Amino acid sequence: MSARPYDRPYDHRSRRPPTVRPAGPGDASDICALLNAVDILEIGRPETDLAAVEADLHHPDIDLAKDSWLAFEAGRLVAWAQVWADSGPGRVDADHYVLPGHRRAAVRLLELAETRARELAAGAPGAVLRIQLNTQPVLDHDVLPGRGYRPVRRHHVMTRSLSPAADPPPAPPQGLLLRDCAADEADRRRAHALVEETFAAHFGHVDRPYEAWLDHQGARGLDWSLVWIASLPGSGDAAVLLTRDDRTGMAWLSHLGVRADLRGRGIGGFLLRHAFAAYAARGRDTVGLGVDTRNETGALALYEAHGMRRHYAVDTWELSLHSRG
């Protein structure tokens, strides 16, 4: 399939319904181009990597023939959606991207995603479908509310510039020891256990056993030398920092968690500065992370205090699968 380049003018006035088919692994490049076109419109620059799209299309819990859809108008890819249900009974998640001016394609893929979500939820009590969208999306603003969705949470994607001069290695709190997880499988399992413990109360967190967690995180390809555990004498392992260096645009801090009984001792701030220094030394000039704006641990204030600023914001929209839009 060869999609029309996204920087060409396009006439949206055609009244023909979109052509829809399932996605396949061979569509990754065209989907990536679509997502980057949406990125440019919503956040000002392309930030979707082809490897991330390929990983989505190989998600172990997605049957592409049933769970994914591409919409075309006049032979041009204008929308993509997929659903998956790996978060426990009653919760289905979806991705949904559409170019502006293609409302019919957007609605058609929502209809297909909702129908499939109801099948995947299989009548579980309280079943919901969740979609995350930029707070200033290219999708028409009335589409989701008109179908019964409601916003339930907001996350900020925050970034910070890095440099070796501005980000030297920090001094640790007294007694704190830091080790990475490169050599020891037991440490990798311990990192997983700390993530599960420290994120247990976070919105949307799903408790997963180790092997399922690896698959969900794409962690089998993780550089474990960039995952650290902090420990304190007499307290044992106190915190975990899981980071990734597999994005084109920036380094990424995916999890920073401190045990509840050890918060307020400067451990989180130290780990944040440690990550800044580590990635500055690797030649990265930007680091990013996502944070729930209603996080009760004070994470948003911590990140702001260390120079991180909002890059863009994302709303989680939720649809009860026991209602029909």
Side-chain angles (χ1 to χ4, degrees):
M1 183 236 333
S2 178
R4 182 180 300 184
Y6 289 102
D7 57 354
R8 294 184 187 175
Y10 182 68
D11 184 352
H12 305 306
R13 294 172 294 179
S14 171
R15 295 186 180 277
R16 295 180 180 178
T19 300
V20 177
R21 67 165 174 83
D27 294 312
S29 293
D30 289 333
I31 294 171
C32 187
L34 171 71
L35 270 55
N36 276 318
V38 173
D39 283 349
I40 291 169
L41 293 167
E42 292 183 342
I43 62 177
R45 69 185 192 188
E47 290 193 354
T48 301
D49 290 321
L50 179 59
V53 177
E54 291 173 338
D56 285 342
L57 294 176
H58 289 88
H59 191 296
D61 293 287
I62 290 178
D63 178 348
L64 291 177
K66 297 179 179 179
D67 302 332
S68 69
W69 305 272
L70 301 175
F72 301 85
E73 292 186 3
R76 181 196 195 204
L77 177 62
V78 299
W80 170 68
Q82 68 177 18
V83 298
W84 64 96
D86 69 344
S87 299
R91 174 176 157 189
V92 182
D93 294 283
D95 283 328
H96 183 279
Y97 293 86
V98 63
L99 293 177
H102 297 279
R103 185 185 182 97
R104 289 169 305 166
V107 170
R108 181 57 183 147
L109 294 198
L110 283 171
E111 291 171 347
L112 291 166
E114 292 160 12
T115 298
R116 179 59 175 154
R118 290 186 174 94
E119 295 173 356
L120 291 170
V128 296
L129 172 64
R130 287 180 180 170
I131 296 176
Q132 290 190 327
L133 290 181
N134 191 287
T135 54
Q136 298 295 323
V138 297
L139 178 67
D140 292 342
H141 286 77
D142 64 320
V143 170
L144 291 185
R147 299 189 63 79
Y149 291 81
R150 63 187 182 94
V152 294
R153 211 70 166 195
R154 176 164 292 184
H155 286 74
H156 286 177
V157 173
M158 307 183 75
T159 59
R160 181 185 184 278
S161 298
L162 301 175
S163 74
D167 299 298
Q174 185 174 5
L176 185 141
L177 298 175
L178 198 62
R179 68 186 189 275
D180 67 43
C181 299
D184 193 339
E185 174 70 13
D187 278 340
R188 300 177 187 186
R189 291 180 177 274
R190 184 64 184 134
H192 160 256
L194 285 165
V195 167
E196 295 297 336
E197 176 183 350
T198 59
F199 281 80
H202 287 214
F203 173 80
H205 177 74
V206 178
D207 188 3
R208 292 183 172 89
Y210 180 65
E211 296 294 335
W213 178 79
L214 288 179
D215 286 334
H216 182 77
Q217 296 292 329
R220 296 185 189 279
L222 201 65
D223 181 347
W224 287 98
S225 70
L226 299 173
V227 178
W228 293 277
I229 294 172
S231 62
L232 286 172
S235 299
D237 294 332
V240 61
L241 173 61
L242 193 154
T243 77
R244 308 189 69 105
D245 198 17
D246 53 3
R247 298 187 178 204
T248 300
M250 66 188 73
W252 189 254
L253 312 186
S254 61
H255 292 82
L256 195 171
V258 180
R259 279 172 37 195
D261 59 322
L262 297 172
R263 291 170 187 159
R265 301 192 185 189
I267 299 171
F270 165 75
L271 288 176
L272 198 58
R273 295 191 304 274
H274 172 78
F276 296 164
Y279 277 105
R282 290 172 68 90
R284 283 292 199 169
D285 61 7
T286 306
V287 63
L289 54 77
V291 59
D292 179 356
T293 59
R294 289 161 55 188
N295 183 305
E296 296 180 355
T297 67
L300 179 59
L302 173 70
Y303 301 146
E304 289 176 336
H306 286 83
M308 304 201 76
R309 296 294 178 259
R310 191 181 90 163
H311 178 29
Y312 60 91
V314 174
D315 284 331
T316 298
W317 291 81
E318 188 173 275
L319 175 71
S320 169
L321 294 176
H322 297 295
S323 64
R324 294 185 182 271

